[in-house]
Amino acid sequence: MGLFWRVLIILPLFFAYVNCEYFTYPSRHTGKAELAGFKGPDSLATDGGGFFSGPLVVNDDVTATPGNQGGTTEVTVGKPGDDILDASLADGNDGVGKANMIEAATTFKGSWELFLENGGVSAMHLILLPKINQALMFDATVWKISKIKLPGPPCRHVEGTNEEDCFAHSVLMDIDTGKLRTLRLKYDTWCSSGGLDINGRLVSTGGYNNGSDTVRILDLCDTCDWKEYPGALANGRWYATQVTLGDGKFMVFGGRDFPTYEFVPPEGKKNTHQDVVDFKFLVETHDPVENNLYPFVYLSTDGNVFIFANNRSVLLNPNTHNIIHEFPVLPNGARNYPASGSACLLPIILKPNEDRRVIPAEILICGGAPHDAYEKADLQRPKVFLPGSSDCARLDFTKRNSKWKILNMPSARLLGDMAVLPTGDVLIVNGAKTGSAGWDDAREPNLNPVLYKFKTDGTGSKFTVLNPSNIPRMYHSSFAVLPDAKVLIAGSNTNPGYLDDALFPTEVRVEKFSPHYLDPNLAMFRQEIIAEKSNNQLKYGQKFTVQIRGNGVIDQQKLQVTMYSPPFVTHGICMNQRLIQLGILEFNKDVAPNINDIVLQAPMNGNIAQPGYYMLFVNYNGVPCLRSMWVQILP
């Protein structure tokens, strides 16, 4: 009998091994572009070569598991080994201390799928829109070209010329089917900013040229298109950052040549210069080659605004406009554009019947480049590509005595992205190892994502190298966390236009990455949210119920419920990305066969969770549910 069970266990693993194949994507597009690319102002095109002249050498310093299968999977009880990804959040100071470990574990290091061969546009900007489950992707009108045309007139009149541009520069993509719907833009969105309002609409600000002072709104319907309000902002906002406050209002910070900030006016209204606030901090953090554009800006749980630019950070009171605290300088180079590290707000952890006066909030900043990296790569001939930063720094900005805690990543990275996963861990993905942001200014694509464990038991590394993609995602790459807990990966364009014959071609392919927790052998832990029996409109501080269906007996200690606000992603910055772990008040087992009710407490106020739409995930044993549920927090 023992032999029978051994054979039964080993056979599936054997067949999985012999049938796996390592699927590779071509390293460049086949065929030629429909048009030669950008033919606009000379100031936007730079010399320095960078055209494809031989085989693309991919990253080979980490060996992928054949078939991206990540090795044999096991479910363990007790303390996981050093080479196993612990699928939990543990208690303890900075993740170290007595751990309450969740016991599902896996050696699976993720898998990639090519979701769409042609997404129409190269996704310089990307955001998942609530309710309609479509990803909005757009780049810039300045190129006058993309990989998808508008379905018919009217075409866009190119300002100052007699030309008409009949290409689409903005699309909505169904995240399940890949179906595309083109949208029309008149005012240039190049290097713009944005965020979702309380009703789930995208409010986008700034851009280039005629779009720099524009506010745009995209509503949620099958036929909705952009509404554009040029002149709504008092200053031009090119490479600026937009943040949502606790009352749902927006602020927008910085932008090239404007070290200021302003509140975004209501729809149809216009700001005047009296609405602009000078911000000396952005003057002080400006290097000769900037390094403070697209500052990292997050709402603190106390209502203040945390701003990081270059290597310095402050807390700003948005009501008095006073800087109330400055934190220590972060060493080892610059972090913002064009040095272009990436950052995210780490999970905000709430307790049942939350009554703490201050809820901790931490930022994680990873990668970047030396202060002179852009000068060497973009302005010097021949180009020199300096190594990027390999450190990650973490700071609790609710504590006035807080200091940076610095860790080393497995490899250097700039131009990357940081996706906060439903479990609270962080996926560091995309980017390069050397150079800077800019046209043809980076080399050595970093093809391997890295998992950063938000909390561990203190026995292993906080970083795990995952299986690589075969598509370089360099400058202008983007991501979106999806309701099924996969991560959408898109974009990459190091060229001033759409080029197929460059060293790094303009990228329109769209991928999906399945993180470690989507190991098929952990599928038994995936719960199903019964949306029609769950509350999807929440009030601050009030109780609400989520009903789940799953097989087997559920241990409440292994349940985790999180709410995730989809970010506006561009240039390595994820505006308003926020994950909140909710306190579980009650767990009512077996209200029906295999059905359980979870009673939760909504966040206490808008400083913890701004009003609007969130994806609610139920994780069990560190494995997300089959599909999240959209919930709306109302004031």
Side-chain angles (χ1 to χ4, degrees), residues 212-242:
S212 67
D213 60 1
T214 299
V215 173
R216 308 165 198 84
I217 295 176
L218 182 63
D219 214 328
L220 307 178
C221 73
D222 292 338
T223 58
C224 289
D225 213 325
W226 286 104
K227 294 183 287 185
E228 299 176 278
Y229 300 95
L233 300 174
N235 280 172
R237 301 294 174 188
W238 194 26
Y239 299 92
T241 301
Q242 185 174 318

Side-chain angles (χ1 to χ4, degrees), residues 49-212:
F51 292 96
F52 194 93
S53 59
L56 177 65
V57 179
V58 300
N59 171 28
D60 60 359
D61 59 0
V62 180
T63 302
T65 303
N68 279 347
Q69 294 304 304
T72 303
T73 302
E74 58 185 89
V75 176
T76 65
V77 176
K79 182 178 175 181
D82 291 340
D83 61 340
I84 292 176
L85 303 180
D86 165 53
S88 74
L89 294 178
D91 295 326
N93 183 21
D94 192 28
V96 179
K98 185 176 180 181
N100 179 22
M101 305 299 292
I102 294 173
E103 296 167 341
T106 177
T107 57
F108 179 66
K109 294 188 177 180
S111 62
W112 291 86
E113 60 185 287
L114 181 60
F115 178 61
L116 206 58
E117 182 69 33
N118 180 9
V121 303
S122 187
M124 178 188 296
H125 314 86
L126 174 60
I127 187 169
L128 177 67
L129 297 181
K131 299 194 296 183
I132 63 173
N133 287 324
Q134 296 192 38
L136 173 66
M137 304 187 296
F138 58 98
D139 58 359
T141 64
V142 68
W143 313 138
K144 299 179 287 187
I145 184 176
S146 68
K147 292 289 186 178
I148 188 170
K149 288 192 173 182
L150 295 167
C155 295
R156 182 181 69 92
H157 175 71
V158 179
E159 192 174 34
T161 74
N162 294 321
E163 294 181 72
E164 286 202 328
D165 172 13
C166 296
F167 286 92
H169 304 286
S170 175
V171 298
L172 281 171
M173 181 186 69
D174 187 291
I175 60 173
D176 296 313
T177 68
K179 182 180 179 181
L180 299 175
R181 181 166 76 88
T182 60
L183 302 174
R184 298 176 188 273
L185 280 167
K186 183 177 179 181
Y187 298 92
D188 203 344
T189 52
W190 184 15
C191 303
S192 53
S193 44
L196 300 177
D197 72 4
I198 188 173
N199 296 312
R201 305 184 306 168
L202 175 65
V203 178
S204 174
T205 51
Y208 175 65
N209 201 4
N210 67 357
S212 67

